[in-house]
Amino acid sequence: MVFKQAKWDEPLIYELGCEGRIGFLVPEVEEDIRREVGEIQIPDKIRRENPPELPELSEVEVVRHFIRLSQMTYGVDNGPIPLGSCTMKYNPKISESIASDPRITLLHPLQDEDTVQGLLEIMYLLQKWLANIVGMDVCTLHPAAGAHSELAGVLIIRKYHELKGQLNRKKEIIVPDSAHGTNPASAAMAGFRVVTVRSAPDGNIDIEAVKAVVSDRTAGLMLTNPNTLGLFEENIVELAEIIHEVDGLLYYDGANLNGIMGYTRPGDMGFDIAHINIHKTFGSPHGGGGPGAGPLCVKERIVDPERNIKLSDLLPGPIVKYDNVRKKYYLKKPGKYSIGWLKSFFANTIPLIKAFIYIACLGPQGLKEVTEQAVINTNYFIKKLKDTKGYSLPYDPERYRKHEVVFSAKPMTQDVGVTAEDVCKGLLDAGFYAPTMYFPLIVQEALMIEFTDTETKENIDKYAERMKEIAKIAYENPEEAKKWPRNTVVTRVDLVKANHPKTVTPSWRVLKLRKEGKIK
Amino acid sequence: MSLVVHPWLPNSPKKIKEDMLKTIGVKEVSELFSDIPEKVRFKGEWDKLEIGFGRPLSELEIQRIIDDILSKNKVFKKPPVFLGAGVWPHYVPEVVKYIMSRAEFCTTYTPYQAEISQGLLQALFEYQSMIADLLEMEVVNASMYDWASAVAEAFLMALRVNKGKNRILIPSTMNPMHLEVVKTYTMPRGVVIEKVKYDSVTGLIDLEDLKEKVAKGNVAAVYIENPSFLGFIEENARDVGEIAHDGKALFIMGVDPISLGILKPPGALGADIAVGEGQPLGLGLNYGGPYLGIFAVKWDMKLIRQMPGRLIGLTTTVDGKDRAFTMILQTREQHIRREKATSNICTNEALCALGAAVYLALMGKHGLKKLGELILYRTNYAIKKMNTITGVKAPIFKSLHFKEFTVNFDKTNMPYTKIHKELLKKGIHGGLYLREFFPEFGETALYCVTELHTKDDIDLLIKSLKEIVEGWSR
Ligand SMILES: Cc1ncc(COP(=O)(O)O)c(C=O)c1O
């Protein structure tokens, strides 16, 4: 059987509809109100003269248009999305249903605390559960995503050194070369110089290289463990010592938490600060790019004994607390040592509700099982694919991986010119989403694969079979591989045209203005 | 080996698990974790930690638990909360909810593989396009976290574009919650954020003070909001832009998109960057999020290259036969540029952007104007009625207001906190007490009226307030 993605010849929404149609009936201003206030004149200089150039569609046309677009999209509910580092697990439907309860969706974030006690209770429990899962003392749910939390984390590192009067020295953050792009980007946003450290052949961070760059200037280290190769950093104890030795802080990028639950925790490993990607480990859907949520947790480390400042005092945003006397939950606003606010309001509540349900439905036993499943799936897949001509497994192929594995298509590329990208397109053609490609940067022709805990053995088998088949075709008929994909909505997309300054088209408006010769 | 068979874990039955372990060549799953150093292993009793309710719960069990907990919340439906201040009670059309819950959109991720993600890419391109037309700006990214983080990123961007300049001018009435976020984001940058005075009668930004401040030089950007945080329409927006440009500063405008059916868009007012909160476009209140940070720039490659966030572009297939969409200009982003990226943002609010696209498609060319007028009239009706209450004055500034307005209770001799509690007893949630942010305004609260507040709702609010404050003074 062949996979064929649904393909509608669906125009842009601007090309649909007809003048005069409406998709929503806006109520009329009440006559009594009009009479009471009279005609309101908006000053000419601020009144919109021309209506926005939006299309005019009836309700049914809007629905059909977007339903067709949805059918030309591939989600976890369609099949496996083993995008490494993204933890694309199944998103439980019970969570979707509960999170759409009006007793949640109709709550205003500035509503009186007395009227949101139920919501705060859920968030209070979630803070505690997450703290236990990562082995930290205090969590804030405030940041909107992993990267948002990273920014908060490095700002905390900055504040820590500022409060200790050593910020003038503490100017560098160490990041391994295998790190996700958000790590160095976040460190730079917080004003740090990023010092990149290479990985050793065994896939661990090169401890000698770390020693060579650690100094008085080291403000902290950002690390994800298991790392982006799916390998557990075995030197973590020594690393923590080295960084703490110079009074640096250890930041844990929680993107890979799915690989260790129940076995070890960032807190056990010596990390001081850790973020959690709710949309990865805790099953809230990725929404085509977002929303997610990125709680941030810290150890209750003393920053300044004299002023009694603890690391948790630096956390951003409000934290849910319980007042034993008043028997009420409340939001504790960031205090004077906090790095402040990262978004206007409390947190991305909806994904957090989903995480609450996810954790409740699995319990501690289930979460440990989640990790075991994720790790078994990875190593099972490795066994199936390893030693296939065309692929290699860089960085100690004998070591067990955790939640993900990074294969390389370099042998195939060198031998017959078929690249990791071609392999990906060949997977799409079989009805699978592709792995994350060309990341981490330390692996050439990288294919980063993470099935997560929710993929069936049958699909993992099929995925491996398809990758083997692709390799076989690559060697027999490399030209064929360049023609993939054929079964998706479109064939290969022209990226040069997409990005060239003369043709780049980020909106319908640009297309129109260019046609009219109004922009170059 | 733990023995949890769970519906979300297809390989959890013992037999499958054993088969897979056998293929791997290990007896126990724990062998796969043997490289975790003894010293860092979790040694306590995992199952006894307070994680969830101590055991896996079935769907029907959690439903019951949640239902009990949620019954402790008070939902304001009739009337809805009169509370805005950055996000507002607006109607969420059923079609928006319906499309946002489509599994293909909801359960996919950033469209890294364009060929199989065309539907999502097209939808996001349409979001960018419709917001672009609403703003009359050419380039819109596929979302930031919210308005506050968008304005903070806009300031960082202005500092990159105008390298060497370190002053940013803002109105004194700027949304104080946004300002907090701006402070967090710009903390490491050594930026001086300066407040421009407002006209004491109209509340509008004081153009003379602005000119003076710009003339001192070193200004990277001038920012205003329209409508302002306090709800008045900043009618001199264009003049502000001209003054900014005279000083070679970028002009950044923050807008509420729901106002743009009736108010001039930032593009027509000379803005270089526009930001805003997309929450009114069918996204709901959600007690803090997710929301939708709007971020747009005008057509200028110098600006576009400094933009944060993801961008979707229209192109064709390599063979030129089909129209196609893909992510574009990615060399600005963290996954390519790392520490030199324009921002660290990765996961964004794409599903909210999709929802906003559906909303705008429903509203079409004329819907937002009608909606804007409805809100405008109701707001001004509420203002007028407020002034019939003894000791109450609304608004504190003499300007045209949209959706939000200040209400001053000084002359009632009643602390606003008390009024608020009394309203709650009547099942009404009043506006935001402003003392924490603007102590100079006295006993003032910020009220919000939208299409959800009918005349009856407003009348009920007025009647209740009357009873409360007039009863008190007696
Ligand atoms: C290893 C790693 N770190 C950090 C992040 C950033 O998290 P987010 O996308 O939630 O901002 C990601 C996400 O893709 C990741 O894979």
Side-chain angles (χ1 to χ4, degrees):
Chain A
M1 225 179 58
V2 221
F3 162 76
K4 264 286 181 202
Q5 193 176 15
K7 176 174 180 166
W8 296 95
D9 189 10
E10 187 61 14
L12 273 164
I13 194 142
Y14 286 87
E15 298 159 335
L16 290 166
C18 213
E19 198 183 318
R21 283 199 187 131
I22 58 166
F24 189 85
L25 188 62
V26 179
E28 298 292 330
V29 180
E30 291 96 330
E31 269 313 310
D32 289 351
I33 287 187
R34 267 198 200 277
R35 210 172 310 119
E36 188 83 32
V37 297
E39 195 63 29
I40 300 177
Q41 280 299 331
I42 298 173
D44 280 352
K45 56 183 177 178
I46 201 76
R47 194 184 62 232
R48 185 165 199 144
E49 285 140 32
N50 310 311
E53 292 291 332
L54 296 175
E56 296 175 82
L57 281 75
S58 57
E59 186 172 324
V60 61
E61 289 171 285
V62 174
V63 169
R64 279 199 189 130
H65 175 69
F66 286 104
I67 291 296
R68 287 175 171 202
L69 294 187
S70 76
Q71 290 176 337
M72 296 193 282
T73 304
Y74 185 106
V76 172
D77 284 0
N78 297 88
I81 306 192
L83 279 170
S85 212
C86 302
T87 317
M88 300 298 294
K89 58 174 74 177
Y90 169 70
N91 312 119
K93 302 312 159 205
I94 179 69
S95 313
E96 295 303 306
S97 147
I98 291 176
S100 63
D101 191 311
R103 290 170 297 177
I104 300 169
T105 58
L106 291 183
L107 299 181
H108 191 292
L110 297 173
Q111 222 171 289
D112 193 296
E113 277 164 10
D114 286 351
T115 67
V116 292
Q117 285 296 303
L119 195 281
L120 294 181
E121 181 178 339
I122 292 174
M123 295 299 148
Y124 180 81
L125 289 172
L126 183 61
Q127 281 175 187
K128 253 208 253 183
W129 298 353
L130 293 174
N132 285 330
I133 291 168
V134 295
M136 296 274 169
D137 298 311
V138 186
C139 295
T140 174
L141 304 173
H142 182 60
H148 209 206
S149 211
E150 288 174 29
L151 174 61
V154 278
L155 287 172
I156 287 175
I157 294 177
R158 195 187 151 87
K159 192 86 183 182
Y160 171 86
H161 294 302
E162 187 189 311
L163 288 167
K164 295 188 96 176
Q166 54 194 28
L167 188 61
N168 55 343
R169 275 190 287 125
K170 295 290 188 184
K171 296 226 175 286
E172 296 174 355
I173 294 273
I174 300 175
V175 177
D177 57 4
S178 61
H180 194 256
T182 50
N183 292 186
S186 302
M189 274 176 93
F192 288 109
R193 202 167 77 77
V194 176
V195 178
T196 308
V197 175
R198 69 171 178 270
S199 304
D202 59 5
N204 289 320
I205 189 168
D206 186 331
I207 205 91
E208 293 310 314
V210 174
K211 283 184 191 155
V213 297
V214 162
S215 74
D216 226 21
R217 294 184 301 279
T218 305
L221 168 83
M222 297 178 88
L223 196 70
T224 180
N225 196 11
N227 63 25
T228 58
L229 296 166
L231 290 165
F232 195 86
E233 288 284 355
E234 293 164 304
N235 300 320
I236 184 62
V237 180
E238 198 181 350
L239 260 179
E241 276 165 14
I242 295 171
I243 300 298
H244 283 149
E245 189 78 19
V246 295
D247 200 16
L249 294 182
L250 270 87
Y251 182 89
Y252 182 79
D253 171 349
N256 299 342
L257 191 62
N258 217 42
I260 54 167
M261 283 186 292
Y263 282 88
T264 177
R265 308 177 301 173
D268 303 328
M269 295 183 231
F271 286 93
D272 305 290
I273 313 171
H275 87 241
I276 295 164
N277 299 67
I278 286 297
H279 42 298
K280 299 183 182 204
T281 317
F282 298 107
S284 79
H286 281 71
L296 187 66
C297 309
V298 293
K299 283 266 187 62
E300 205 50 307
R301 204 184 151 115
I302 302 295
V303 179
D304 181 347
E306 265 163 45
R307 286 179 285 176
N308 191 26
I309 308 173
K310 298 178 296 302
L311 209 49
S312 68
D313 295 323
L314 279 55
L315 283 170
I319 294 176
V320 188
K321 299 261 180 189
Y322 185 69
D323 182 334
N324 268 317
V325 182
R326 286 163 58 235
K327 301 271 178 258
K328 266 183 189 153
Y329 295 95
Y330 66 99
L331 288 174
K332 185 179 151 279
K333 300 271 168 65
K336 101 171 177 211
Y337 301 114
S338 160
I339 59 157
W341 294 77
L342 288 149
K343 62 197 286 291
S344 291
F345 301 109
F346 170 63
N348 270 2
T349 298
I350 299 299
L352 291 167
I353 295 274
K354 295 175 187 176
F356 179 88
I357 296 157
Y358 183 84
I359 297 171
C361 288
L362 284 155
Q365 304 86 346
L367 289 180
K368 189 169 178 186
E369 187 71 28
V370 160
T371 285
E372 291 180 356
Q373 292 290 323
V375 174
I376 290 172
N377 287 353
T378 307
N379 289 289
Y380 176 80
F381 175 73
I382 293 172
K383 223 25 184 217
K384 292 269 155 172
L385 190 68
K386 217 164 115 178
D387 306 324
T388 303
K389 185 180 169 196
Y391 304 111
S392 62
L393 183 53
Y395 295 97
D396 198 350
E398 296 314 312
R399 284 186 66 187
Y400 291 124
R401 264 56 180 176
K402 294 290 171 287
H403 62 296
E404 68 194 354
V405 57
V406 184
F407 277 96
S408 167
K410 191 176 165 202
M412 194 187 296
T413 312
Q414 281 177 338
D415 295 344
V416 289
V418 174
T419 64
E421 184 174 5
D422 299 331
V423 173
C424 286
K425 304 308 176 194
L427 282 160
L428 301 184
D429 253 0
F432 296 119
Y433 211 90
T436 297
M437 56 185 190
Y438 303 107
F439 176 74
L441 307 178
I442 55 172
V443 174
Q444 291 173 352
E445 299 299 327
L447 292 163
M448 186 191 210
I449 302 168
E450 178 182 16
F451 282 107
T452 82
D453 37 289
T454 64
E455 203 44 74
T456 61
K457 174 173 171 290
E458 297 87 313
N459 275 337
I460 298 171
D461 287 338
K462 285 186 201 151
Y463 208 87
E465 278 315 308
R466 178 62 186 168
M467 282 185 75
K468 285 184 192 167
E469 193 183 359
I470 287 171
K472 191 158 163 277
I473 298 171
Y475 279 93
E476 283 166 5
N477 184 6
E479 282 312 300
E480 171 67 15
K482 299 290 170 188
K483 293 179 193 146
W484 295 328
R486 285 199 185 95
N487 302 333
T488 48
V489 173
V490 294
T491 54
R492 243 179 256 207
V493 172
D494 188 340
L495 299 178
V496 178
K497 195 185 287 170
N499 287 289
H500 194 281
K502 289 245 160 23
T503 45
V504 66
T505 308
S507 65
W508 178 250
R509 187 176 171 83
V510 166
L511 195 70
K512 267 195 319 186
L513 292 174
R514 193 181 279 129
K515 263 191 200 141
E516 292 164 11
K518 290 190 183 138
I519 58 173
K520 282 193 284 300
Chain B
M1 195 188 296
S2 53
L3 287 167
V4 179
V5 180
H6 198 279
W8 304 339
L9 303 171
N11 304 334
S12 56
K14 193 155 171 266
K15 168 91 177 61
I16 308 175
K17 208 170 167 180
E18 278 171 3
D19 271 2
M20 294 178 86
L21 288 174
K22 205 161 138 206
T23 306
I24 297 169
V26 294
K27 281 212 181 61
E28 287 288 332
V29 64
S30 58
E31 290 174 52
L32 302 175
F33 297 87
S34 55
D35 53 350
I36 301 181
E38 189 51 34
K39 189 147 181 236
V40 305
R41 280 169 177 270
F42 173 71
K43 305 223 179 50
E45 281 187 82
W46 177 256
D47 294 356
K48 296 271 160 62
L49 289 181
E50 191 184 343
I51 295 173
F53 297 96
R55 64 177 175 87
L57 295 185
S58 146
E59 195 171 310
L60 56 110
E61 292 174 300
I62 187 67
Q63 226 161 20
R64 182 109 184 200
I65 292 175
I66 290 266
D67 193 61
D68 285 347
I69 301 181
L70 289 182
S71 67
K72 298 173 195 166
N73 291 340
K74 163 102 183 92
V75 177
F76 297 87
K77 272 192 188 156
K78 269 190 344 188
V81 290
F82 291 93
L83 188 59
V87 289
W88 309 268
H90 280 289
Y91 185 71
V92 179
E94 288 304 323
V95 174
V96 175
K97 286 191 242 176
Y98 175 68
I99 300 292
M100 281 178 80
S101 64
R102 274 301 283 203
E104 299 91 329
F105 288 138
C106 187
T107 68
T108 192
Y109 194 34
T110 307
Y112 292 116
Q113 295 291 333
E115 296 84 358
I116 202 167
S117 309
Q118 284 297 299
L120 173 68
L121 283 160
Q122 180 172 339
L124 292 175
F125 178 81
E126 291 176 350
Y127 161 79
Q128 294 177 181
S129 295
M130 286 192 272
I131 296 284
D133 282 323
L134 191 60
L135 300 173
E136 296 192 5
M137 309 279 287
E138 283 70 37
V139 190
V140 178
N141 75 16
S143 73
M144 309 299 287
Y145 305 127
D146 67 350
W147 182 345
S149 61
V151 66
E153 290 264 20
F155 287 6
L156 293 181
M157 174 176 155
L159 295 169
R160 290 194 296 274
V161 171
N162 282 323
K163 262 217 178 69
K165 299 185 179 176
N166 73 337
R167 294 172 67 216
I168 290 176
L169 306 182
I170 60 165
S172 299
T173 57
M174 176 177 168
N175 182 323
M177 289 164 266
H178 294 176
L179 183 53
E180 286 303 314
V181 177
V182 163
K183 283 184 193 158
T184 306
Y185 270 72
T186 56
M187 178 176 20
R189 292 272 164 258
V191 192
V192 186
I193 310 259
E194 284 172 63
K195 290 183 174 174
V196 179
K197 288 186 197 144
Y198 55 81
D199 183 292
S200 59
V201 178
T202 61
L204 303 182
I205 199 160
D206 180 335
L207 294 176
E208 290 313 309
D209 188 47
L210 175 66
K211 270 184 209 155
E212 263 172 49
K213 290 201 159 84
V214 169
K216 285 191 199 135
N218 243 343
V219 179
V222 176
Y223 175 67
I224 58 162
E225 300 164 337
N226 192 40
S228 73
F229 175 69
L230 302 176
F232 57 80
I233 294 170
E234 188 62 76
E235 57 178 76
N236 296 330
R238 187 195 297 278
D239 306 309
V240 174
E242 280 167 13
I243 296 168
H245 289 151
D246 286 346
K248 302 262 181 301
L250 291 184
F251 176 37
I252 307 175
M253 266 188 86
V255 293
D256 172 359
I258 214 89
S259 71
L260 292 178
I262 57 173
L263 298 185
K264 254 197 181 39
L269 294 164
D272 301 292
I273 305 176
V275 292
E277 179 55 66
Q279 179 270 343
L281 306 177
L283 301 180
L285 285 168
N286 299 334
Y287 198 74
Y291 298 139
L292 170 62
I294 295 174
F295 196 107
V297 307
K298 66 175 188 188
W299 185 260
D300 178 344
M301 271 300 162
K302 192 175 87 218
L303 296 179
I304 297 167
R305 287 194 200 290
Q306 291 298 339
M307 268 182 101
R310 301 211 189 276
L311 282 173
I312 314 300
L314 173 66
T315 177
T316 63
T317 47
V318 174
D319 62 19
K321 282 186 192 152
D322 277 319
R323 186 188 263 173
F325 303 88
T326 186
M327 293 200 278
I328 55 167
L329 305 180
Q330 294 187 62
T331 51
R332 301 163 298 111
E333 291 187 67
Q334 47 76 27
H335 59 286
I336 311 240
R337 199 48 72 79
R338 298 176 79 82
E339 63 266 30
K340 298 206 174 62
T342 55
S343 167
N344 68 342
I345 192 167
C346 179
T347 291
N348 54 20
E349 312 293 318
L351 193 67
C352 300
L354 173 84
V358 177
Y359 186 91
L360 289 173
L362 289 171
M363 285 297 163
K365 196 168 183 167
H366 303 291
L368 279 184
K369 178 165 188 222
K370 233 182 134 186
L371 184 60
E373 279 175 357
L374 178 62
I375 296 171
L376 181 70
Y377 275 86
R378 287 194 177 162
T379 307
N380 284 280
Y381 174 73
I383 288 174
K384 191 163 177 205
K385 287 288 168 183
M386 280 285 180
N387 287 306
T388 64
I389 307 171
T390 316
V392 172
K393 179 173 179 269
I396 55 175
F397 291 122
K398 278 208 193 74
S399 282
L400 186 58
H401 284 64
F402 176 79
K403 196 159 96 173
E404 289 185 275
F405 56 96
T406 43
V407 185
N408 179 277
F409 294 91
D410 282 355
K411 296 254 167 65
T412 65
N413 290 323
M414 199 172 170
Y416 185 70
T417 45
K418 177 80 186 149
I419 297 172
H420 168 73
K421 289 285 173 210
E422 292 299 318
L423 272 177
L424 276 186
K425 282 188 202 156
K426 292 172 184 284
I428 297 173
H429 200 299
L432 176 69
Y433 187 33
L434 290 178
R435 167 134 280 173
E436 179 190 340
F437 309 111
F438 299 99
E440 69 271 30
F441 297 159
E443 292 301 293
T444 294
L446 184 65
Y447 273 70
C448 167
V449 168
T450 73
E451 75 279 7
L452 284 183
H453 302 91
T454 62
K455 177 173 176 295
D456 287 350
D457 290 335
I458 298 169
D459 289 344
L460 178 66
L461 169 70
I462 302 296
K463 179 171 159 275
S464 308
L465 275 173
K466 231 184 197 129
E467 283 166 12
I468 293 165
V469 306
E470 293 179 359
W472 175 268
S473 35
R474 249 185 271 122

